[in-house]
Amino acid sequence: MNLARFFAAIVRRELQIAFKRWGDLVSPLMFFVMVASLFPLALSPQHEMLRNLGPAVLWIAALLATLLSLNALFRADIEDGSMEQLVLSPYPLALALFGKTVAHWLLNGLPLVVLAPALAVTYYLPGEGVRALSLTLLIGTPTLSLLGAVGAALTAGVRQSGGLLALLVLPLMLPVLMFGARATDLAASGEQISGPVYLLSALFLLALSLLPLASAAAIRISLD
Amino acid sequence: MVDCSKTCLSAIDLTLWRGPNCLFEELSFQVDAGSLLLVRGTNGSGKTTLLRVLSGLTRPESGHVQWCGESIEKTRQAFTAALAYFGHADGLKADLTVTQNLEFSARLYGRSGEQVSGLLKALNLSQCAQLETRYLSAGQKRRTALARVLMSNATLWLLDEPVTNLDSVGRDYVEDRLREHIAGGGLAIAATHEDIRLASESPDEIFLGDDA
């Protein structure tokens, strides 16, 4: 079997498992929707202030929702022995973990990208801002998933690693948050956003090319 | 030194400590094609750990493992392609059915759906094929995990307690397959505290632990 079919088999299995566990899927999304929709209700309803706060709040909620969903990324596989089988399969471990990360993004990142424009309306973001929010989330959330996968792989062997994982990966996620929120903010005030968007894309490509290998190395250490 | 242009797995001077306990020290042995090695020892004597070292999952403190005369670290891909690891954990997804679990392995090994259902029948799992594996008994889970080894076509089987939790029919089936595998030129290393009977001469054994 070639590598592409192996990759497809991994993604397919992840999706099969996820659809059997709706609850785990929905709770990070619920968190995102609740945080993002409570802010406009709690703040005083001034268009100008909401429009200024919107990009930051939406991006922070998306980042925290991603963090919430990361803990379980490799935990179950290590506990039930599937990870040993993946490590001992003749296919590259990095590809297997990349497959799992892609599935994670499809199930956790993509819904955020889809939901965000609806929530942006409650912040009176203009059309330009909503488009920029979708674009930056589309580039930024896969980067967050890839970064989170390394953290999840490193902490997979540690018991009660929730806080540790956040401490490890949050600093690495900050550039994504800053460029994403800034680009949305700039677009909402009608300015050029190509600068931060290019930087976000560069971060994404860097993460895409290096981090699956880092995750694989981390998993081998965790299993030792 | 070990001469190995032929198919063999050799352990050379393996040493591993876990905390203050030395699990094995300068342990060397060789398993040739067509033979079975039983790893014996009390609970906690390091049988599983030895299998993990042999598979490359755990690194020994010193010494190394060779497959066909080459260190397994260097020939990882060739080695893992020849390896079926039947671990302490079953490696099954609790949320997926028996069939779904095995279909994934079948896809990896390029087996057809018919071969999967044939195996399920042989392992007496047909009636629970559509059950999620969380509802299976320990023995049924073991059988499902065993099906993965049987469809793998691997030369080297590393088996951790292959007959534990199995009923007598299951044990006989495993022993038959093991006999076939070895007769066909395969290698097998099994960690067990139960007897595995092969019709031919009694297999080689190594003992771990203080009472060895």
Side-chain angles (χ1 to χ4, degrees):
Chain A
M1 187 169 73
N2 59 30
L3 296 179
R5 285 184 50 194
F6 172 66
F7 177 77
I10 294 275
V11 175
R12 190 189 141 111
R13 180 167 75 157
E14 288 305 310
L15 298 182
Q16 267 179 338
I17 295 168
F19 289 128
K20 294 255 176 108
R21 300 181 139 264
W22 272 110
D24 294 0
L25 266 186
V26 170
S27 55
L29 288 178
M30 286 280 288
F31 173 84
F32 175 68
V33 172
M34 283 191 296
V35 170
S37 57
L38 285 180
F39 264 84
L41 297 176
L43 288 167
S44 67
Q46 298 164 6
H47 290 202
E48 194 56 23
M49 185 168 73
L50 284 174
R51 201 209 59 74
N52 286 336
L53 282 175
V57 171
L58 287 164
W59 252 97
I60 291 171
L63 182 128
L64 292 178
T66 308
L67 263 185
L68 264 184
S69 63
L70 280 172
N71 248 328
L73 190 51
F74 301 134
R75 174 63 42 84
D77 290 284
I78 290 199
E79 277 169 6
D80 66 20
S82 321
M83 194 56 90
E84 288 172 358
Q85 297 296 336
L86 289 179
V87 171
L88 295 178
S89 84
Y91 301 99
L93 178 60
L95 187 65
L97 299 185
F98 180 58
K100 290 180 63 68
T101 313
V102 168
H104 174 265
W105 180 75
L106 287 175
L107 295 163
N108 292 283
L110 192 58
L112 294 183
V113 179
V114 174
L115 283 173
L119 290 163
V121 173
T122 58
Y123 291 88
Y124 301 102
L125 276 192
E128 278 301 306
V130 176
R131 263 194 293 281
L133 180 69
S134 300
L135 178 67
T136 52
L137 281 175
L138 190 64
I139 310 170
T141 47
T143 317
L144 296 182
S145 289
L146 286 160
L147 279 167
V150 179
L154 274 173
T155 55
V158 185
R159 253 161 277 291
Q160 314 203 339
S161 57
L164 184 62
L165 173 66
L167 270 180
L168 269 176
V169 298
L170 207 50
L172 299 171
M173 289 177 166
L174 288 184
V176 181
L177 172 73
M178 290 189 286
F179 292 130
R182 186 79 189 117
T184 312
D185 198 26
L186 284 176
S189 4
E191 292 182 50
Q192 277 289 327
I193 59 161
S194 47
V197 168
Y198 284 145
L199 281 165
L200 263 184
S201 312
L203 282 175
F204 169 60
L205 290 177
L206 190 68
L208 188 65
S209 51
L210 291 180
L211 295 184
L213 298 171
S215 302
I219 281 290
R220 284 187 203 280
I221 296 169
S222 291
L223 280 184
D224 194 334
Chain B
M1 277 278 71
V2 192
D3 149 57
C4 254
S5 43
K6 54 183 179 166
T7 309
C8 70
L9 183 81
S10 20
I12 299 165
D13 296 335
L14 293 179
T15 303
L16 192 74
W17 290 75
R18 275 290 184 253
N21 304 320
C22 176
L23 294 181
F24 35 84
E25 197 164 17
E26 309 219 329
L27 178 69
S28 299
F29 57 83
Q30 183 177 332
V31 185
D32 293 314
S35 55
L36 165 72
L37 175 73
L38 292 185
V39 180
R40 301 290 201 152
T42 51
N43 295 129
S45 58
K47 299 188 292 291
T48 297
T49 313
L50 178 60
L51 285 193
R52 289 177 64 91
V53 170
L54 292 176
S55 70
L57 281 173
T58 301
R59 283 194 186 184
E61 246 124 277
S62 66
H64 52 283
V65 180
Q66 290 189 338
W67 173 244
C68 303
E70 292 268 358
S71 163
I72 57 168
E73 306 258 324
K74 284 186 199 136
T75 55
R76 199 194 291 271
Q77 204 182 357
F79 176 64
T80 48
L83 169 73
Y85 180 76
F86 180 69
H88 185 68
D90 294 318
L92 302 174
K93 286 285 157 208
D95 295 305
L96 298 185
T97 65
V98 172
T99 313
Q100 284 172 326
N101 267 296
L102 290 179
E103 270 172 358
F104 175 74
S105 310
R107 234 172 253 131
L108 258 58
Y109 297 126
R111 298 274 173 274
S112 67
E114 281 162 33
Q115 281 167 309
V116 173
S117 50
L119 259 178
L120 286 177
K121 195 171 268 175
L123 282 161
N124 202 15
L125 286 168
S126 302
Q127 75 278 22
C128 52
Q130 299 308 324
L131 269 184
E132 291 175 15
T133 53
R134 67 166 76 254
Y135 302 118
L136 298 188
S137 75
Q140 287 171 320
K141 281 183 199 163
R142 243 16 212 159
R143 284 163 186 258
T144 312
L146 208 55
R148 190 180 50 223
V149 176
L150 295 175
M151 70 167 88
S152 70
N153 231 357
T155 320
L156 170 64
W157 289 3
L158 293 179
L159 310 170
D160 195 351
E161 302 288 2
V163 293
T164 305
N165 286 330
L166 294 188
D167 55 24
S168 61
V169 182
R171 285 181 67 123
D172 291 345
Y173 182 76
V174 170
E175 284 168 0
D176 287 345
R177 293 288 81 74
L178 202 53
R179 205 172 295 132
E180 261 173 35
H181 175 65
I182 287 163
L187 292 72
I189 300 177
T192 176
H193 53 250
E194 293 179 54
D195 275 324
I196 292 185
R197 298 178 305 269
L198 298 182
S200 57
E201 78 273 32
S202 59
D204 296 331
E205 298 188 344
I206 54 173
F207 291 89
L208 297 178
D210 301 331
D211 53 334

